[in-house]
Amino acid sequence: MTLFAPEELKAVLGSGLLSFPVTHARDDLSFDEDAYRDHVSRQAAAGPSGVFAAGGTGEFFALTPEEVDRVVRAAVASVPGDTPVIAPAGYGTAQAVAMARAAEAAGAHGVFLLPPYLTEAPQEGLIAHVRAVCAATDLGVVVYHRANAAFGFDAVQELADECPNFVGFKDGIGDVDLMTRIHARFGDRLLSIGGLPTAETYALPYLEMGVTTYSSAIFNFLPDFALDFYAAVRARDAAAVYRKLNDFVLPYLDIRNRRAGYAVSIVKAGLAVTGLHDRHRV
């Protein structure tokens, strides 16, 4: 399988739409590896620029570390060599470091660092957390700016200066000021990724802040629609983007917002509607 140096990974991920596949489960909620492999193979065949295994849509929060490793290895085995697989890391620093090392051993091409579990941390604590994970692996690291991992500009700058393999910053907060500053200051040094729930909603205005790609949960069950939407965004075809928002994305949001937890459930419902039924753990 092709290996991606951090700089190569950054360039590849920024060139297209990102797939965040769900993690398939059996009736007893154990990992259904065969169904997952089939799904990831279909996702990869549709042409995303990267596959993020066991991410937020993949229910990282509901999997044991051993299951995460199985999911990552299954994803690596299911995609062609020119499609990078990004593995998750999270929880406390020691666990995140262990997961980053496991990702590298599993053949993943990058690490997606999710927020630490529960405890808020000052900026120096977040810096130390990311620094430790970056030091533990040669893989490129994408940091998720969300919840209790809310980074200020100075923290991002310090990490970018100190950690060469810190290559991506995914915004899950909607901090326009921060994303504008990052793009103005760093340019191509960091890949900015749209990571708000149902990122299609914000994709067009975010493009002006240098956010050339985003995570698409919709890609799980409507890959052609998701790719067409992304192409319209990159072409700055506002009429097409807003037509697609009104035709599908905004009604989809109305359902998603009915109840806490539906952000993942609605994706799995989409799989059921399209004939690829699945279950989730929460």
Side-chain angles (χ1 to χ4, degrees):
M1 178 170 288
T2 303
L3 298 178
F4 296 85
E7 284 296 311
E8 295 170 325
L9 179 69
K10 179 178 64 178
V12 171
L13 293 180
S15 68
L17 188 61
L18 303 177
S19 167
F20 276 63
V22 300
T23 300
H24 292 64
R26 300 187 183 90
D27 288 341
D28 64 358
L29 302 184
S30 62
F31 174 44
D32 188 341
E33 184 168 339
D34 290 341
Y36 179 77
R37 284 180 179 242
D38 288 343
H39 180 60
V40 171
S41 294
R42 285 191 297 270
Q43 291 275 282
S49 61
V51 173
F52 283 65
T57 305
E59 297 178 282
F60 169 80
F61 49 83
L63 301 171
T64 67
E66 292 76 16
E67 286 174 320
V68 168
D69 187 65
R70 285 186 62 200
V71 171
V72 170
R73 290 177 182 274
V76 169
S78 302
V79 303
D82 58 353
T83 301
V85 172
I86 316 303
Y91 306 115
T93 301
Q95 181 64 67
V97 164
M99 296 183 88
R101 290 172 175 158
E104 191 164 349
H109 308 100
V111 172
F112 180 43
L113 181 57
L114 289 98
Y117 173 69
L118 187 61
T119 304
E120 291 80 9
Q123 293 294 290
E124 57 266 34
L126 291 174
I127 291 169
H129 180 68
V130 176
R131 186 190 293 125
V133 172
C134 288
T137 179
D138 291 328
L139 301 178
V141 176
V142 174
V143 171
Y144 201 4
H145 170 65
R146 183 170 179 174
N148 59 334
F151 294 81
F153 176 77
D154 290 345
V156 176
Q157 180 168 268
E158 184 172 337
L159 288 167
D161 289 344
E162 292 186 10
C163 304
N165 61 332
F166 167 41
V167 296
F169 188 78
K170 183 181 179 186
D171 175 40
I173 293 179
D175 193 334
V176 173
D177 180 85
L178 177 64
M179 298 305 289
T180 300
R181 288 173 180 269
I182 287 174
H183 182 50
R185 168 63 178 82
F186 298 113
D188 294 333
R189 166 63 185 87
L190 283 178
L191 172 65
S192 294
I193 299 173
L196 288 164
T198 314
E200 282 84 358
T201 315
Y202 314 91
L204 188 59
Y206 261 50
L207 184 63
E208 299 304 323
M209 295 182 287
V211 182
T212 63
T213 188
Y214 52 86
S215 56
S216 177
I218 292 172
F219 187 78
N220 274 277
F221 61 94
L222 290 178
D224 290 342
F225 174 88
L227 290 168
D228 287 346
F229 191 102
Y230 177 76
V233 169
R234 292 301 302 268
R236 289 181 166 84
D237 186 347
V241 169
Y242 281 99
R243 183 174 64 251
K244 293 174 185 296
L245 284 170
N246 280 303
D247 288 347
F248 181 77
V249 178
L250 297 182
Y252 173 90
L253 293 183
D254 289 340
I255 299 172
R256 187 204 71 187
N257 293 340
R258 288 177 184 173
R259 189 171 183 179
Y262 271 15
V264 174
S265 296
I266 192 172
V267 179
K268 299 223 170 180
L271 286 169
V273 168
T274 54
L276 300 169
H277 183 62
D278 191 31
R279 295 173 175 81
H280 61 90
R281 295 192 174 193
V282 176

